[in-house]
Amino acid sequence: MKPSLASRVVLATLAWAAALIMVFPILWMLVTAFKTEGQAIAIPPLLIFTPKLRSFFDATQNAGYLLFALNSVIVSVGATVLAIAIAFPAAYALAFFPGKRTEFTLMWMLSTKMLPAVGVLMPIYLFLKNVHLLDTRLGLVAIDTLMNLPIVVWMLYSFFKDIPHEILEAARVDGVGPRQQMIHLLLPLAGPGVASTALLSVILAWNEAFWSINVTASHAGTLAAYIARFSAPEGLFWAKLSAASVLAVAPILVFGSLTQRRLVRGLTFGAVK
Amino acid sequence: MAKLLLEKVEKRYEGFHAIKGVDLSIDDREFVVFVGPSGCGKTTLLRMIAGLEEISGGDFSIDGVRANDIPPDKRGLAMVFQTYALYPHMTVAENMGFALKMAKVPKAEIERKVAHAAEMLQLDKVLARRPKALSGGQRQRVAIGRAIVRNPKGFLFDEPLSNLDAALRVQMRTELVKLNKQLETTMIYVTHDQVEAMTMADRIVVLNGGIVEQVGSPLELYHNPANLFVAGFIGSPKMNLLQGVVSARDDAGADVKLDDGGSIRVAAANIAAAPGLRVTLGIRPEHTALAADGEIGGTADFVEHLGNETLVYVRRPGEAQMIVKADDLAGVRMGDPVRMKPQPARAVLFGPDGKALLRREFHLR
């Protein structure tokens, strides 16, 4: 039965309202970024004003945006490359040489993600301090790698499971070693899956805020730490904070929407085949 | 050169005993077929020989060297899978040359070997294609070609023809046998199809429930099945099995009184049965004739005209159905009463334990 016009109108209105409520903070942030500080705190809020780029200038000029952005790129790409390099052989072993403990190992890896990160803040902070990796990119790369490793292993594992195991068995009988199998067979065959996994890992590392804020400062801070600085001692400067947030969110948002198709396909690959 | 020896080979999974002590010797250049119903362990046994499954017990040796712990790539054997397992992202030529390339064989030599194998398998025109663009038969040949270029000591085939259509299957059957003679290598071939086993094998290994039921040439298995399982498995249509009791015994044979009346003569020199023993009498449909003076009676339940022969399915009250291979112009119709006459020199006997009670020498004319 086709729903009546009235019910369709009500449904559409509700849906749009829900979407608007959810996206409003981000829209408001975008709008505020183009205001002056005075306009930003005006009550009632200004809806019509002349957009200015002043806040963006302030946010980048005095706060070293480029360094933080560079850190974000280095940390997220570095952590992704490292995580895939470690997870690839692990997923290969789990997928093609399953043993009695394979399932347990997979569950155990995932279970580490159930622990609240703040629960291990102290030991990890002290550890990084003692090995002199506080506020270094290397330290943050290591943490992000380990944070994302379970998910990366899981994703690669599920992609590998979709590859007929006879293909690798044929290679084994033909004298092709594990390293060659991974490079010449698994990588090309699971290419789209590896790409989706890498994309997700980059996004997760880019958005990671807890560790970035807590174990880095001016040297290795990522854009997450950069935003956090604007709510610091000087008090709140809404326009500048908004501009900084826009600058932090924009790159990954653009990146995400460009790769969206691949990402969605990768994430649903095993589920809907 | 590859002489394979299996001694008391076992495979145990958790809670499942897949292979229960297999003894088998496979000679160099021999074409051996493992046959049996699904789940009998034939593929597991092949994978153990390939090195893809660990051997839980017993010894396996290749050319006298214990091979239980030798990894698959060092065994010098090549395997062809049921699904072909071609590398989908490589061309036919790349597929065939991949193992050599990984072994750092010079490029010119790889090309020469691939070209040679491609010519032998009539793949020379499709070398630049990907597996996706090939027919089933061509894919199958690429898988074989991939094995040939490595010049292995032996080939292992895991139901390689089951994904092909019937006509192609018959053609590939003869090609594989020719290849065996041409390459002069040992081949082990796994199938559940007893026709494939009969037509291709030098020797057949019949497996059932993880044990070897019988090893022998196709004709040996056909004429002298060692037990009821082999009797029922080899031959199509199936051997007729009739219940009865040995009523008389002399030097030339024995008389068996069937449960539904009628006495049948079994002619054989050495029958390990004394009068009074309950036996199962086996007689193949092609060794049973329709005759007015036949010892066994029944009703024609169903008649199949295959052209070159006619199969008559005979219903007997209270007894198992019998099949008779009759003359194509016998003129039997459904519902007709019939009488059947087994050839005494072709009937076999099995004891209460299901084991054969006689073994005939047969001579090829």
Side-chain angles (χ1 to χ4, degrees):
Chain A
M1 194 188 78
K2 209 177 165 193
S4 70
L5 181 70
S7 70
R8 273 192 296 160
V9 167
V10 170
L11 269 176
T13 312
L14 281 176
W16 275 100
L20 207 62
I21 288 169
M22 279 194 272
V23 87
F24 180 75
I26 294 168
L27 280 180
W28 195 248
M29 175 185 88
L30 196 62
V31 171
T32 308
F34 290 95
K35 292 179 178 176
T36 62
E37 292 299 342
Q39 290 168 331
I41 53 167
I43 292 188
L46 281 179
L47 284 174
I48 295 157
F49 60 95
T50 322
K52 297 260 168 50
L53 288 173
R54 173 74 201 223
S55 303
F56 286 96
F57 184 74
D58 285 348
T60 50
Q61 194 61 21
N62 304 324
Y65 169 80
L66 280 180
L67 177 67
F68 287 93
L70 184 67
N71 286 340
S72 268
V73 171
I74 291 174
V75 169
S76 56
V77 170
T80 296
V81 169
L82 204 58
I84 297 230
I86 298 171
F88 201 90
Y92 165 77
L94 288 166
F96 297 107
F97 302 93
K100 274 182 217 161
R101 302 174 68 87
T102 299
E103 218 165 291
F104 172 79
T105 308
L106 281 165
M107 283 318 293
W108 172 76
M109 278 197 277
L110 204 62
S111 73
T112 61
K113 295 295 290 178
M114 297 168 193
L115 203 68
V118 70
V120 288
L121 175 59
M122 212 40 133
I124 289 196
Y125 187 90
L126 291 177
F127 176 77
L128 287 176
K129 179 168 172 272
N130 287 335
V131 294
H132 305 294
L133 284 177
L134 269 184
D135 197 17
T136 60
R137 289 166 185 161
L138 185 62
L140 198 55
V141 164
I143 287 182
D144 281 358
T145 301
L146 295 172
M147 290 291 292
N148 291 340
L149 204 50
I151 290 172
V152 173
V153 170
W154 263 83
M155 280 185 70
L156 289 181
Y157 170 79
S158 63
F159 289 121
F160 290 177
K161 279 301 240 191
D162 287 331
I163 294 170
H165 60 95
E166 287 96 343
I167 290 182
L168 294 193
E169 285 184 341
R172 265 175 84 198
V173 176
D174 281 355
V176 180
R179 202 171 51 87
Q180 292 172 322
Q181 286 174 35
M182 282 189 256
I183 295 171
H184 296 281
L185 299 176
L186 218 42
L187 197 56
L189 290 176
V194 176
S196 328
T197 309
L199 289 178
L200 188 73
S201 170
V202 165
I203 290 171
L204 288 177
W206 184 282
N207 293 340
E208 196 288 314
F210 179 79
W211 292 106
S212 177
I213 289 171
N214 281 300
V215 303
T216 67
S218 53
H219 291 109
T222 62
L223 286 172
Y226 167 75
I227 301 174
R229 281 162 58 120
F230 284 87
S231 62
E234 316 144 43
L236 279 177
F237 292 91
W238 284 110
K240 221 157 78 170
L241 179 60
S242 296
S245 300
V246 168
L247 287 173
V249 171
I252 201 70
L253 221 56
V254 171
F255 178 71
S257 58
L258 286 179
T259 55
Q260 189 186 28
R261 182 177 291 196
R262 163 143 280 179
L263 200 61
V264 170
R265 205 181 60 146
L267 289 172
T268 54
F269 185 57
V272 296
K273 197 175 58 161
Chain B
M1 268 293 289
K3 185 176 159 49
L4 310 179
L5 188 64
L6 290 87
E7 290 170 297
K8 301 197 172 52
V9 164
E10 306 232 4
K11 179 69 190 180
R12 274 181 231 96
Y13 294 104
E14 206 165 325
F16 180 54
H17 203 170
I19 301 290
K20 301 165 186 163
V22 166
D23 289 297
L24 186 65
S25 166
I26 296 169
D27 281 331
D28 188 30
R29 298 178 207 183
E30 202 173 13
F31 198 118
V32 171
V33 174
F34 293 174
V35 69
S38 24
C40 71
K42 55 192 189 295
T43 293
T44 304
L45 193 59
L46 190 78
R47 289 171 59 86
M48 286 160 79
I49 291 172
L52 294 172
E53 297 280 349
E54 274 177 42
I55 296 170
S56 318
D59 290 304
F60 167 57
S61 65
I62 302 173
D63 292 330
V65 180
R66 190 172 188 273
N68 286 43
D69 303 318
I70 297 179
D73 54 306
K74 301 279 184 305
R75 296 191 181 193
L77 303 172
M79 184 150 167
V80 176
F81 293 80
Q82 181 174 0
T83 53
Y84 317 142
L86 300 180
Y87 310 130
H89 58 299
M90 297 183 197
T91 64
V92 169
E94 285 165 346
N95 258 284
M96 297 209 286
F98 181 62
L100 299 178
K101 190 176 148 197
M102 291 298 109
K104 307 235 165 18
V105 174
K107 215 173 167 194
E109 196 182 334
I110 297 178
E111 277 171 15
R112 190 177 54 75
K113 285 187 165 168
V114 168
H116 177 71
E119 195 196 326
M120 196 191 293
L121 297 164
Q122 295 153 32
L123 289 169
D124 24 1
K125 296 211 168 49
V126 296
L127 278 174
R129 283 199 211 162
R130 299 253 160 114
K132 210 169 48 185
L134 299 178
S135 69
Q138 286 171 326
R139 284 180 207 183
Q140 180 60 71
R141 285 202 288 264
V142 175
I144 295 168
R146 204 167 58 178
I148 288 177
V149 291
R150 288 182 51 229
N151 196 19
K153 288 191 225 168
F155 288 84
L156 309 174
F157 294 98
D158 184 13
E159 308 218 19
L161 305 185
S162 46
N163 290 351
L164 301 180
D165 64 58
L168 203 53
R169 208 151 51 209
V170 173
Q171 186 197 333
M172 285 302 291
R173 234 154 58 186
T174 49
E175 283 184 25
L176 280 178
V177 174
K178 276 188 206 156
L179 203 63
N180 172 242
K181 307 301 168 215
Q182 200 178 340
L183 296 172
E184 302 192 328
T185 49
T186 312
M187 287 189 180
I188 305 179
Y189 186 101
V190 162
T191 178
H192 62 270
D193 180 353
Q194 57 99 15
V195 178
E196 268 180 29
M198 293 294 281
T199 49
M200 299 171 82
D202 291 326
R203 266 193 319 153
I204 297 176
V205 178
V206 182
L207 283 154
N208 181 34
I211 59 164
V212 173
E213 295 278 3
Q214 191 172 1
V215 182
S217 70
L219 285 181
E220 170 71 18
L221 263 55
Y222 178 80
H223 287 285
N224 290 313
N227 51 48
L228 282 171
F229 179 82
V230 178
F233 195 80
I234 299 290
S236 177
K238 278 181 185 219
M239 182 183 262
N240 297 306
L241 299 170
L242 313 170
Q243 307 303 320
V245 176
V246 176
S247 58
R249 170 89 174 79
D250 56 50
D251 287 347
D255 291 316
V256 175
K257 175 134 179 59
L258 296 182
D259 289 355
D260 64 341
S263 182
I264 297 194
R265 177 75 180 165
V266 178
N270 299 302
I271 300 177
L277 184 71
R278 270 211 79 80
V279 292
T280 303
L281 184 143
I283 183 76
R284 296 203 179 271
E286 51 272 36
H287 300 146
T288 312
L290 294 175
D293 62 343
E295 296 93 338
I296 315 166
T299 314
D301 207 15
F302 190 72
V303 182
E304 270 182 355
H305 295 284
L306 302 177
N308 59 336
E309 64 194 26
T310 295
L311 298 178
V312 184
Y313 295 75
V314 181
R315 182 158 40 99
R316 297 181 304 142
E319 296 289 328
Q321 171 186 264
M322 276 185 75
I323 306 173
V324 178
K325 204 175 266 188
D327 187 82
D328 57 330
L329 300 174
V332 182
R333 279 166 307 181
M334 274 150 76
D336 283 355
V338 292
R339 296 209 69 81
M340 296 164 288
K341 195 175 181 62
Q343 294 177 23
R346 295 300 191 118
V348 287
L349 283 182
F350 302 95
D353 59 354
K355 294 216 164 67
L357 297 173
L358 63 88
R359 185 176 180 284
R360 283 194 188 89
E361 294 292 324
F362 57 87
H363 303 283
L364 302 176
R365 282 191 279 273

